[in-house]
Amino acid sequence: MKKGEKLVIVGCSGSGGPAAMLARKLMPDIDITVIRKEKFFIVR
């Protein structure tokens, strides 16, 4: 992806959270939005 592009991830409890963290690590110049319903995200 190019600088300034946006990535939207739906869901956070299954693989969405780790996908968002990996995407941030691999592509730091893009905007990442996570749409989730959970109030808390537990990092293990």
Side-chain angles (χ1 to χ4, degrees), residues 12-30:
C12 191
S13 62
S15 60
M21 291 187 282
L22 183 61
R24 172 60 64 202
K25 188 175 184 180
L26 294 176
M27 301 173 281
D29 294 332
I30 64 170

Side-chain angles (χ1 to χ4, degrees), residues 5-11 16 20 23-24 30-36:
E5 287 187 333
K6 299 178 188 306
L7 175 66
V8 177
I9 298 175
V10 178
R24 172 60 64 202
I30 64 170
D31 295 326
I32 300 173
T33 302
V34 178
I35 299 174
R36 64 185 194 140

